[in-house]
Amino acid sequence: MNEGSPAQWLAAAQKIDARIEKLRPEADRHVVGQHVISQVLLKRFAAPFGSDGFKLVPFNLDHPDRLHKMASPRQCGKVPHFARFASASLEQLWGKLETRIPDAARAVDRGDVFQHEQHVQTLKDLIALHLVRSLNYRKVHERIFTKVYTEQRTALLTDQSDLLRLAVLQRSGLHLPGPQGLAAAADEILSPHLANFENGADFRARIEDTFAKAKEMISDAGLEILVPAAGEFLLGDTPALAIQQSETRTAFNVAIGDSTSIVLPFGPRHLLVGRTPPLRAGHRHRGDGRLPQPTSDRGGGAARLLPAPQRPGRLRPRLPKAGHPECQELSLPAASPSSRAWPGEGYRDGRRKPAGCHGCGGRFLVTAEVLRS
């Protein structure tokens, strides 16, 4: 997610700093293994495996030939030290939402979810959660901070150097001795922000703030739920994707405000789609069953469950029974931008056996990175 321009980032610095100071007494209250994919969502993709409970098979796209072992939803979708500062209270914030998901999920399975506005809002909030609580967001945060920090330090040493010299003179009565003194003064000014970045405090405060903003933005979007015309949906380690589609191209991981839709697999049979901007009441897409049609004139427009577009040649891979003929046909795409782009699609091509056919009938959790503790 794009967190805004450098100017917007700096404009929010005072608010972020205040939040960091409020969190500082609980800085060491920490949860080591933090889920970036909600366990309740993972369980919707898991299959029962005897007395061992529900199981998934994490599949690593970077190592497709590795032996892929079964794991419980509790073991999957975790990142050690995802947030390194006051993470206990952050987990409590996520938990307030996640406790609402089971009721919403039952409404989705019954097919009457759009009759319950509170469940619709829960699903929208769930999309926002998985957009923000993600490895992608953390990478964006790190990239933007590094960019802004470098720009500000450069400005203090060039365009704003006279102001910096004057500030030091007024504060200490000393003239800065050459470029080294100027650099030392710039580093001193920026050091609190750098320290908050390095200890994870800046990320902790900003992810909470961004989650609140994402919920607000997605709340105004129309929610649709698609069902597959064939096969089933899979889940990836970045499960929610903001997509911008036009007649000529499709871009992934764009800013919410630039997206045309935000998708989140919600089980093998359902895909949550937040349409941005909201669909107008009564508006219809093409009526061939390939795109949703609104059935409600409430704000944002609700949609009934409709088939998702079929993607020729792509089926959700499933671990077949040992010795099943499908073992000879089933494979997953190698790591590539296209294979990572859509959450969890696999395909059949007869080229390779699946790594580790356990005969368990479990479902795959497709990952581009190892997300197990």
Side-chain angles (χ1 to χ4, degrees), residues 48-93:
F49 189 69
S51 60
D52 291 334
F54 287 86
K55 295 292 184 180
L56 292 156
V57 179
F59 190 97
N60 193 312
L61 292 176
D62 288 334
H63 303 281
D65 296 319
R66 173 183 295 172
L67 179 64
H68 296 88
K69 299 180 180 180
M70 292 183 296
S72 69
R74 182 180 59 83
Q75 295 172 299
C76 297
K78 295 172 73 173
V79 176
H81 308 290
F82 174 71
R84 296 178 287 113
F85 185 95
S87 61
S89 58
L90 194 60
E91 288 289 295
Q92 291 174 357
L93 176 65

mmCIF file of all heavy atoms in Angstrom, residues 48-93:
data_model
loop_
_atom_site.group_PDB
_atom_site.id
_atom_site.type_symbol
_atom_site.label_atom_id
_atom_site.label_comp_id
_atom_site.label_asym_id
_atom_site.label_seq_id
_atom_site.Cartn_x
_atom_site.Cartn_y
_atom_site.Cartn_z
ATOM 1 N N PRO A 48 -9.979 -31.289 7.211
ATOM 2 C CA PRO A 48 -9.829 -32.155 8.394
ATOM 3 C C PRO A 48 -8.902 -33.319 8.102
ATOM 4 O O PRO A 48 -8.937 -33.909 7.015
ATOM 5 C CB PRO A 48 -11.264 -32.617 8.667
ATOM 6 C CG PRO A 48 -11.978 -32.469 7.367
ATOM 7 C CD PRO A 48 -11.347 -31.312 6.674
ATOM 8 N N PHE A 49 -8.077 -33.651 9.087
ATOM 9 C CA PHE A 49 -7.109 -34.734 8.901
ATOM 10 C C PHE A 49 -7.145 -35.622 10.133
ATOM 11 O O PHE A 49 -6.293 -35.552 11.016
ATOM 12 C CB PHE A 49 -5.717 -34.158 8.681
ATOM 13 C CG PHE A 49 -4.689 -35.195 8.276
ATOM 14 C CD1 PHE A 49 -4.742 -35.812 7.042
ATOM 15 C CD2 PHE A 49 -3.676 -35.547 9.154
ATOM 16 C CE1 PHE A 49 -3.801 -36.761 6.673
ATOM 17 C CE2 PHE A 49 -2.728 -36.501 8.800
ATOM 18 C CZ PHE A 49 -2.790 -37.112 7.557
ATOM 19 N N GLY A 50 -8.161 -36.428 10.221
ATOM 20 C CA GLY A 50 -8.291 -37.374 11.324
ATOM 21 C C GLY A 50 -8.287 -36.689 12.675
ATOM 22 O O GLY A 50 -8.880 -35.626 12.872
ATOM 23 N N SER A 51 -7.585 -37.301 13.628
ATOM 24 C CA SER A 51 -7.537 -36.759 14.984
ATOM 25 C C SER A 51 -6.582 -35.575 15.108
ATOM 26 O O SER A 51 -6.520 -34.946 16.161
ATOM 27 C CB SER A 51 -7.097 -37.868 15.961
ATOM 28 O OG SER A 51 -5.803 -38.355 15.612
ATOM 29 N N ASP A 52 -5.844 -35.263 14.051
ATOM 30 C CA ASP A 52 -4.888 -34.157 14.086
ATOM 31 C C ASP A 52 -5.540 -32.808 13.821
ATOM 32 O O ASP A 52 -4.862 -31.787 13.790
ATOM 33 C CB ASP A 52 -3.767 -34.386 13.059
ATOM 34 C CG ASP A 52 -2.873 -35.549 13.458
ATOM 35 O OD1 ASP A 52 -2.793 -35.832 14.663
ATOM 36 O OD2 ASP A 52 -2.274 -36.161 12.560
ATOM 37 N N GLY A 53 -6.837 -32.785 13.577
ATOM 38 C CA GLY A 53 -7.517 -31.531 13.338
ATOM 39 C C GLY A 53 -7.367 -31.063 11.896
ATOM 40 O O GLY A 53 -7.107 -31.852 10.985
ATOM 41 N N PHE A 54 -7.503 -29.757 11.691
ATOM 42 C CA PHE A 54 -7.455 -29.201 10.348
ATOM 43 C C PHE A 54 -6.001 -28.962 9.929
ATOM 44 O O PHE A 54 -5.180 -28.527 10.722
ATOM 45 C CB PHE A 54 -8.240 -27.892 10.294
ATOM 46 C CG PHE A 54 -9.719 -28.099 10.338
ATOM 47 C CD1 PHE A 54 -10.387 -28.219 11.552
ATOM 48 C CD2 PHE A 54 -10.458 -28.195 9.173
ATOM 49 C CE1 PHE A 54 -11.756 -28.418 11.604
ATOM 50 C CE2 PHE A 54 -11.829 -28.391 9.199
ATOM 51 C CZ PHE A 54 -12.478 -28.507 10.410
ATOM 52 N N LYS A 55 -5.735 -29.222 8.642
ATOM 53 C CA LYS A 55 -4.376 -29.095 8.138
ATOM 54 C C LYS A 55 -4.343 -28.335 6.811
ATOM 55 O O LYS A 55 -5.292 -28.359 6.025
ATOM 56 C CB LYS A 55 -3.750 -30.482 7.917
ATOM 57 C CG LYS A 55 -3.561 -31.293 9.191
ATOM 58 C CD LYS A 55 -2.490 -30.686 10.099
ATOM 59 C CE LYS A 55 -2.262 -31.571 11.323
ATOM 60 N NZ LYS A 55 -1.219 -31.000 12.207
ATOM 61 N N LEU A 56 -3.215 -27.656 6.596
ATOM 62 C CA LEU A 56 -2.884 -27.014 5.332
ATOM 63 C C LEU A 56 -1.557 -27.576 4.855
ATOM 64 O O LEU A 56 -0.805 -28.164 5.634
ATOM 65 C CB LEU A 56 -2.746 -25.501 5.505
ATOM 66 C CG LEU A 56 -3.990 -24.692 5.829
ATOM 67 C CD1 LEU A 56 -3.602 -23.409 6.525
ATOM 68 C CD2 LEU A 56 -4.772 -24.384 4.570
ATOM 69 N N VAL A 57 -1.260 -27.374 3.583
ATOM 70 C CA VAL A 57 0.056 -27.720 3.062
ATOM 71 C C VAL A 57 0.679 -26.455 2.500
ATOM 72 O O VAL A 57 0.346 -26.027 1.393
ATOM 73 C CB VAL A 57 -0.016 -28.800 1.964
ATOM 74 C CG1 VAL A 57 1.385 -29.106 1.438
ATOM 75 C CG2 VAL A 57 -0.659 -30.065 2.511
ATOM 76 N N PRO A 58 1.550 -25.785 3.250
ATOM 77 C CA PRO A 58 2.217 -24.589 2.714
ATOM 78 C C PRO A 58 3.091 -24.976 1.518
ATOM 79 O O PRO A 58 3.880 -25.918 1.583
ATOM 80 C CB PRO A 58 3.074 -24.097 3.888
ATOM 81 C CG PRO A 58 2.454 -24.712 5.103
ATOM 82 C CD PRO A 58 1.925 -26.036 4.649
ATOM 83 N N PHE A 59 2.940 -24.241 0.433
ATOM 84 C CA PHE A 59 3.720 -24.489 -0.780
ATOM 85 C C PHE A 59 4.547 -23.249 -1.083
ATOM 86 O O PHE A 59 4.007 -22.165 -1.304
ATOM 87 C CB PHE A 59 2.802 -24.800 -1.958
ATOM 88 C CG PHE A 59 3.533 -25.291 -3.183
ATOM 89 C CD1 PHE A 59 3.638 -26.644 -3.444
ATOM 90 C CD2 PHE A 59 4.124 -24.398 -4.057
ATOM 91 C CE1 PHE A 59 4.318 -27.101 -4.562
ATOM 92 C CE2 PHE A 59 4.808 -24.844 -5.172
ATOM 93 C CZ PHE A 59 4.905 -26.197 -5.431
ATOM 94 N N ASN A 60 5.855 -23.401 -1.100
ATOM 95 C CA ASN A 60 6.762 -22.270 -1.288
ATOM 96 C C ASN A 60 7.117 -22.128 -2.762
ATOM 97 O O ASN A 60 7.763 -23.000 -3.347
ATOM 98 C CB ASN A 60 8.027 -22.478 -0.448
ATOM 99 C CG ASN A 60 8.854 -21.208 -0.345
ATOM 100 O OD1 ASN A 60 9.120 -20.550 -1.339
ATOM 101 N ND2 ASN A 60 9.251 -20.863 0.874
ATOM 102 N N LEU A 61 6.690 -21.022 -3.378
ATOM 103 C CA LEU A 61 6.943 -20.805 -4.798
ATOM 104 C C LEU A 61 8.425 -20.618 -5.103
ATOM 105 O O LEU A 61 8.860 -20.871 -6.223
ATOM 106 C CB LEU A 61 6.170 -19.578 -5.285
ATOM 107 C CG LEU A 61 4.650 -19.717 -5.315
ATOM 108 C CD1 LEU A 61 4.012 -18.400 -5.728
ATOM 109 C CD2 LEU A 61 4.212 -20.827 -6.256
ATOM 110 N N ASP A 62 9.189 -20.163 -4.119
ATOM 111 C CA ASP A 62 10.625 -19.994 -4.342
ATOM 112 C C ASP A 62 11.349 -21.335 -4.330
ATOM 113 O O ASP A 62 12.473 -21.435 -4.826
ATOM 114 C CB ASP A 62 11.224 -19.078 -3.267
ATOM 115 C CG ASP A 62 10.802 -17.628 -3.457
ATOM 116 O OD1 ASP A 62 10.502 -17.261 -4.605
ATOM 117 O OD2 ASP A 62 10.770 -16.889 -2.457
ATOM 118 N N HIS A 63 10.719 -22.349 -3.728
ATOM 119 C CA HIS A 63 11.333 -23.682 -3.652
ATOM 120 C C HIS A 63 10.275 -24.727 -3.993
ATOM 121 O O HIS A 63 9.862 -25.514 -3.137
ATOM 122 C CB HIS A 63 11.915 -23.933 -2.259
ATOM 123 C CG HIS A 63 12.925 -22.911 -1.829
ATOM 124 N ND1 HIS A 63 14.233 -22.924 -2.256
ATOM 125 C CD2 HIS A 63 12.803 -21.810 -1.030
ATOM 126 C CE1 HIS A 63 14.890 -21.901 -1.732
ATOM 127 N NE2 HIS A 63 14.044 -21.211 -0.985
ATOM 128 N N PRO A 64 9.829 -24.767 -5.241
ATOM 129 C CA PRO A 64 8.707 -25.653 -5.598
ATOM 130 C C PRO A 64 9.011 -27.129 -5.477
ATOM 131 O O PRO A 64 8.081 -27.939 -5.362
ATOM 132 C CB PRO A 64 8.431 -25.259 -7.055
ATOM 133 C CG PRO A 64 9.709 -24.678 -7.557
ATOM 134 C CD PRO A 64 10.317 -23.982 -6.381
ATOM 135 N N ASP A 65 10.286 -27.526 -5.501
ATOM 136 C CA ASP A 65 10.630 -28.943 -5.436
ATOM 137 C C ASP A 65 10.899 -29.429 -4.012
ATOM 138 O O ASP A 65 11.241 -30.596 -3.805
ATOM 139 C CB ASP A 65 11.859 -29.224 -6.307
ATOM 140 C CG ASP A 65 11.575 -28.959 -7.783
ATOM 141 O OD1 ASP A 65 10.470 -29.318 -8.226
ATOM 142 O OD2 ASP A 65 12.431 -28.379 -8.468
ATOM 143 N N ARG A 66 10.758 -28.528 -3.058
ATOM 144 C CA ARG A 66 10.957 -28.909 -1.664
ATOM 145 C C ARG A 66 9.829 -29.817 -1.185
ATOM 146 O O ARG A 66 8.698 -29.744 -1.683
ATOM 147 C CB ARG A 66 11.021 -27.642 -0.808
ATOM 148 C CG ARG A 66 11.067 -27.860 0.681
ATOM 149 C CD ARG A 66 11.044 -26.536 1.419
ATOM 150 N NE ARG A 66 12.252 -25.755 1.147
ATOM 151 C CZ ARG A 66 12.415 -24.488 1.544
ATOM 152 N NH1 ARG A 66 11.453 -23.874 2.212
ATOM 153 N NH2 ARG A 66 13.526 -23.847 1.269
ATOM 154 N N LEU A 67 10.128 -30.689 -0.221
ATOM 155 C CA LEU A 67 9.083 -31.499 0.389
ATOM 156 C C LEU A 67 8.200 -30.602 1.238
ATOM 157 O O LEU A 67 8.667 -29.960 2.175
ATOM 158 C CB LEU A 67 9.696 -32.602 1.267
ATOM 159 C CG LEU A 67 8.691 -33.507 1.994
ATOM 160 C CD1 LEU A 67 7.866 -34.304 0.992
ATOM 161 C CD2 LEU A 67 9.412 -34.434 2.962
ATOM 162 N N HIS A 68 6.934 -30.525 0.899
ATOM 163 C CA HIS A 68 6.014 -29.617 1.577
ATOM 164 C C HIS A 68 5.189 -30.400 2.580
ATOM 165 O O HIS A 68 4.442 -31.311 2.209
ATOM 166 C CB HIS A 68 5.130 -28.905 0.555
ATOM 167 C CG HIS A 68 5.910 -28.024 -0.364
ATOM 168 N ND1 HIS A 68 6.462 -28.485 -1.536
ATOM 169 C CD2 HIS A 68 6.268 -26.721 -0.252
ATOM 170 C CE1 HIS A 68 7.108 -27.502 -2.133
ATOM 171 N NE2 HIS A 68 7.007 -26.422 -1.374
ATOM 172 N N LYS A 69 5.324 -30.039 3.846
ATOM 173 C CA LYS A 69 4.704 -30.788 4.930
ATOM 174 C C LYS A 69 3.418 -30.124 5.389
ATOM 175 O O LYS A 69 3.254 -28.906 5.295
ATOM 176 C CB LYS A 69 5.679 -30.901 6.112
ATOM 177 C CG LYS A 69 6.973 -31.636 5.767
ATOM 178 C CD LYS A 69 7.894 -31.704 6.980
ATOM 179 C CE LYS A 69 9.182 -32.429 6.649
ATOM 180 N NZ LYS A 69 10.090 -32.503 7.824
ATOM 181 N N MET A 70 2.536 -30.930 5.923
ATOM 182 C CA MET A 70 1.284 -30.417 6.459
ATOM 183 C C MET A 70 1.536 -29.606 7.727
ATOM 184 O O MET A 70 2.487 -29.853 8.462
ATOM 185 C CB MET A 70 0.330 -31.566 6.765
ATOM 186 C CG MET A 70 -0.185 -32.302 5.549
ATOM 187 S SD MET A 70 -1.361 -33.584 6.023
ATOM 188 C CE MET A 70 -0.296 -34.673 6.973
ATOM 189 N N ALA A 71 0.665 -28.640 7.964
ATOM 190 C CA ALA A 71 0.762 -27.817 9.174
ATOM 191 C C ALA A 71 -0.628 -27.341 9.550
ATOM 192 O O ALA A 71 -1.529 -27.267 8.709
ATOM 193 C CB ALA A 71 1.687 -26.628 8.935
ATOM 194 N N SER A 72 -0.807 -27.026 10.799
ATOM 195 C CA SER A 72 -2.095 -26.517 11.272
ATOM 196 C C SER A 72 -2.206 -25.037 10.968
ATOM 197 O O SER A 72 -1.202 -24.355 10.736
ATOM 198 C CB SER A 72 -2.217 -26.739 12.780
ATOM 199 O OG SER A 72 -1.296 -25.902 13.476
ATOM 200 N N PRO A 73 -3.419 -24.475 10.951
ATOM 201 C CA PRO A 73 -3.564 -23.044 10.759
ATOM 202 C C PRO A 73 -2.778 -22.215 11.782
ATOM 203 O O PRO A 73 -2.302 -21.128 11.466
ATOM 204 C CB PRO A 73 -5.077 -22.823 10.914
ATOM 205 C CG PRO A 73 -5.678 -24.117 10.470
ATOM 206 C CD PRO A 73 -4.725 -25.166 10.967
ATOM 207 N N ARG A 74 -2.637 -22.757 12.990
ATOM 208 C CA ARG A 74 -1.863 -22.034 14.011
ATOM 209 C C ARG A 74 -0.402 -21.901 13.622
ATOM 210 O O ARG A 74 0.261 -20.920 13.965
ATOM 211 C CB ARG A 74 -1.994 -22.761 15.352
ATOM 212 C CG ARG A 74 -1.279 -22.071 16.511
ATOM 213 C CD ARG A 74 -1.467 -22.856 17.801
ATOM 214 N NE ARG A 74 -0.965 -24.206 17.690
ATOM 215 C CZ ARG A 74 0.323 -24.534 17.853
ATOM 216 N NH1 ARG A 74 1.225 -23.598 18.120
ATOM 217 N NH2 ARG A 74 0.706 -25.790 17.742
ATOM 218 N N GLN A 75 0.113 -22.871 12.871
ATOM 219 C CA GLN A 75 1.524 -22.859 12.494
ATOM 220 C C GLN A 75 1.797 -22.052 11.233
ATOM 221 O O GLN A 75 2.945 -21.705 10.962
ATOM 222 C CB GLN A 75 2.002 -24.299 12.261
ATOM 223 C CG GLN A 75 2.001 -25.174 13.492
ATOM 224 C CD GLN A 75 2.290 -26.624 13.150
ATOM 225 O OE1 GLN A 75 1.559 -27.262 12.405
ATOM 226 N NE2 GLN A 75 3.399 -27.137 13.686
ATOM 227 N N CYS A 76 0.774 -21.779 10.448
ATOM 228 C CA CYS A 76 0.957 -21.125 9.149
ATOM 229 C C CYS A 76 0.699 -19.620 9.233
ATOM 230 O O CYS A 76 0.045 -19.131 10.148
ATOM 231 C CB CYS A 76 0.008 -21.736 8.121
ATOM 232 S SG CYS A 76 0.295 -23.476 7.791
ATOM 233 N N GLY A 77 1.202 -18.915 8.228
ATOM 234 C CA GLY A 77 0.909 -17.490 8.104
ATOM 235 C C GLY A 77 1.484 -16.638 9.210
ATOM 236 O O GLY A 77 0.939 -15.581 9.529
ATOM 237 N N LYS A 78 2.607 -17.088 9.813
ATOM 238 C CA LYS A 78 3.211 -16.339 10.922
ATOM 239 C C LYS A 78 4.547 -15.747 10.497
ATOM 240 O O LYS A 78 5.294 -16.339 9.718
ATOM 241 C CB LYS A 78 3.421 -17.256 12.123
ATOM 242 C CG LYS A 78 2.130 -17.775 12.729
ATOM 243 C CD LYS A 78 2.396 -18.832 13.785
ATOM 244 C CE LYS A 78 2.957 -18.261 15.058
ATOM 245 N NZ LYS A 78 3.057 -19.281 16.130
ATOM 246 N N VAL A 79 4.841 -14.566 11.032
ATOM 247 C CA VAL A 79 6.126 -13.902 10.800
ATOM 248 C C VAL A 79 6.722 -13.554 12.161
ATOM 249 O O VAL A 79 6.141 -12.757 12.907
ATOM 250 C CB VAL A 79 5.965 -12.615 9.966
ATOM 251 C CG1 VAL A 79 7.305 -11.903 9.818
ATOM 252 C CG2 VAL A 79 5.389 -12.937 8.596
ATOM 253 N N PRO A 80 7.846 -14.138 12.530
ATOM 254 C CA PRO A 80 8.478 -13.782 13.807
ATOM 255 C C PRO A 80 8.830 -12.296 13.843
ATOM 256 O O PRO A 80 9.417 -11.772 12.894
ATOM 257 C CB PRO A 80 9.740 -14.652 13.829
ATOM 258 C CG PRO A 80 9.450 -15.780 12.891
ATOM 259 C CD PRO A 80 8.583 -15.201 11.818
ATOM 260 N N HIS A 81 8.427 -11.630 14.911
ATOM 261 C CA HIS A 81 8.768 -10.214 15.116
ATOM 262 C C HIS A 81 8.285 -9.336 13.958
ATOM 263 O O HIS A 81 8.989 -8.419 13.524
ATOM 264 C CB HIS A 81 10.279 -10.044 15.306
ATOM 265 C CG HIS A 81 10.871 -10.930 16.354
ATOM 266 N ND1 HIS A 81 10.625 -10.760 17.699
ATOM 267 C CD2 HIS A 81 11.678 -12.025 16.247
ATOM 268 C CE1 HIS A 81 11.269 -11.691 18.389
ATOM 269 N NE2 HIS A 81 11.907 -12.474 17.530
ATOM 270 N N PHE A 82 7.084 -9.608 13.446
ATOM 271 C CA PHE A 82 6.528 -8.766 12.378
ATOM 272 C C PHE A 82 6.487 -7.310 12.835
ATOM 273 O O PHE A 82 6.938 -6.410 12.128
ATOM 274 C CB PHE A 82 5.133 -9.254 12.002
ATOM 275 C CG PHE A 82 4.426 -8.369 11.019
ATOM 276 C CD1 PHE A 82 4.836 -8.310 9.700
ATOM 277 C CD2 PHE A 82 3.346 -7.594 11.418
ATOM 278 C CE1 PHE A 82 4.182 -7.488 8.787
ATOM 279 C CE2 PHE A 82 2.685 -6.772 10.520
ATOM 280 C CZ PHE A 82 3.100 -6.729 9.195
ATOM 281 N N ALA A 83 5.921 -7.075 14.002
ATOM 282 C CA ALA A 83 6.017 -5.770 14.666
ATOM 283 C C ALA A 83 6.873 -5.968 15.910
ATOM 284 O O ALA A 83 6.614 -6.878 16.697
ATOM 285 C CB ALA A 83 4.636 -5.245 15.038
ATOM 286 N N ARG A 84 7.875 -5.134 16.082
ATOM 287 C CA ARG A 84 8.873 -5.369 17.137
ATOM 288 C C ARG A 84 8.713 -4.441 18.327
ATOM 289 O O ARG A 84 9.520 -4.475 19.255
ATOM 290 C CB ARG A 84 10.285 -5.195 16.548
ATOM 291 C CG ARG A 84 10.616 -6.220 15.475
ATOM 292 C CD ARG A 84 11.991 -5.999 14.875
ATOM 293 N NE ARG A 84 12.022 -4.834 14.006
ATOM 294 C CZ ARG A 84 12.684 -3.717 14.236
ATOM 295 N NH1 ARG A 84 13.377 -3.584 15.359
ATOM 296 N NH2 ARG A 84 12.660 -2.720 13.382
ATOM 297 N N PHE A 85 7.684 -3.617 18.318
ATOM 298 C CA PHE A 85 7.506 -2.611 19.371
ATOM 299 C C PHE A 85 6.050 -2.665 19.821
ATOM 300 O O PHE A 85 5.132 -2.484 19.018
ATOM 301 C CB PHE A 85 7.862 -1.233 18.808
ATOM 302 C CG PHE A 85 7.835 -0.107 19.801
ATOM 303 C CD1 PHE A 85 8.994 0.302 20.438
ATOM 304 C CD2 PHE A 85 6.656 0.575 20.084
ATOM 305 C CE1 PHE A 85 8.990 1.366 21.337
ATOM 306 C CE2 PHE A 85 6.631 1.631 20.983
ATOM 307 C CZ PHE A 85 7.797 2.030 21.607
ATOM 308 N N ALA A 86 5.822 -2.924 21.099
ATOM 309 C CA ALA A 86 4.464 -2.917 21.669
ATOM 310 C C ALA A 86 3.506 -3.757 20.834
ATOM 311 O O ALA A 86 2.375 -3.349 20.552
ATOM 312 C CB ALA A 86 3.954 -1.477 21.796
ATOM 313 N N SER A 87 3.936 -4.956 20.458
ATOM 314 C CA SER A 87 3.110 -5.770 19.569
ATOM 315 C C SER A 87 1.936 -6.430 20.286
ATOM 316 O O SER A 87 0.967 -6.820 19.636
ATOM 317 C CB SER A 87 3.969 -6.832 18.881
ATOM 318 O OG SER A 87 4.561 -7.695 19.837
ATOM 319 N N ALA A 88 1.995 -6.555 21.597
ATOM 320 C CA ALA A 88 0.892 -7.192 22.319
ATOM 321 C C ALA A 88 -0.409 -6.419 22.145
ATOM 322 O O ALA A 88 -1.463 -6.997 21.882
ATOM 323 C CB ALA A 88 1.245 -7.323 23.803
ATOM 324 N N SER A 89 -0.342 -5.100 22.277
ATOM 325 C CA SER A 89 -1.554 -4.296 22.105
ATOM 326 C C SER A 89 -2.004 -4.278 20.648
ATOM 327 O O SER A 89 -3.199 -4.145 20.357
ATOM 328 C CB SER A 89 -1.327 -2.864 22.598
ATOM 329 O OG SER A 89 -0.250 -2.241 21.917
ATOM 330 N N LEU A 90 -1.068 -4.421 19.722
ATOM 331 C CA LEU A 90 -1.429 -4.497 18.310
ATOM 332 C C LEU A 90 -2.190 -5.792 18.032
ATOM 333 O O LEU A 90 -3.191 -5.795 17.303
ATOM 334 C CB LEU A 90 -0.172 -4.428 17.446
ATOM 335 C CG LEU A 90 -0.366 -4.155 15.951
ATOM 336 C CD1 LEU A 90 -1.063 -2.827 15.724
ATOM 337 C CD2 LEU A 90 0.987 -4.172 15.240
ATOM 338 N N GLU A 91 -1.739 -6.883 18.633
ATOM 339 C CA GLU A 91 -2.445 -8.153 18.493
ATOM 340 C C GLU A 91 -3.856 -8.056 19.076
ATOM 341 O O GLU A 91 -4.802 -8.650 18.552
ATOM 342 C CB GLU A 91 -1.664 -9.264 19.194
ATOM 343 C CG GLU A 91 -0.388 -9.675 18.490
ATOM 344 C CD GLU A 91 -0.661 -10.436 17.212
ATOM 345 O OE1 GLU A 91 -1.217 -11.549 17.274
ATOM 346 O OE2 GLU A 91 -0.324 -9.906 16.129
ATOM 347 N N GLN A 92 -4.000 -7.313 20.166
ATOM 348 C CA GLN A 92 -5.327 -7.120 20.743
ATOM 349 C C GLN A 92 -6.234 -6.352 19.791
ATOM 350 O O GLN A 92 -7.427 -6.639 19.671
ATOM 351 C CB GLN A 92 -5.216 -6.374 22.076
ATOM 352 C CG GLN A 92 -4.558 -7.188 23.182
ATOM 353 C CD GLN A 92 -4.336 -6.369 24.446
ATOM 354 O OE1 GLN A 92 -4.625 -5.171 24.494
ATOM 355 N NE2 GLN A 92 -3.826 -7.020 25.478
ATOM 356 N N LEU A 93 -5.666 -5.372 19.081
ATOM 357 C CA LEU A 93 -6.436 -4.600 18.106
ATOM 358 C C LEU A 93 -6.927 -5.503 16.979
ATOM 359 O O LEU A 93 -8.104 -5.469 16.607
ATOM 360 C CB LEU A 93 -5.564 -3.481 17.533
ATOM 361 C CG LEU A 93 -6.191 -2.634 16.419
ATOM 362 C CD1 LEU A 93 -7.388 -1.852 16.940
ATOM 363 C CD2 LEU A 93 -5.149 -1.688 15.818
#
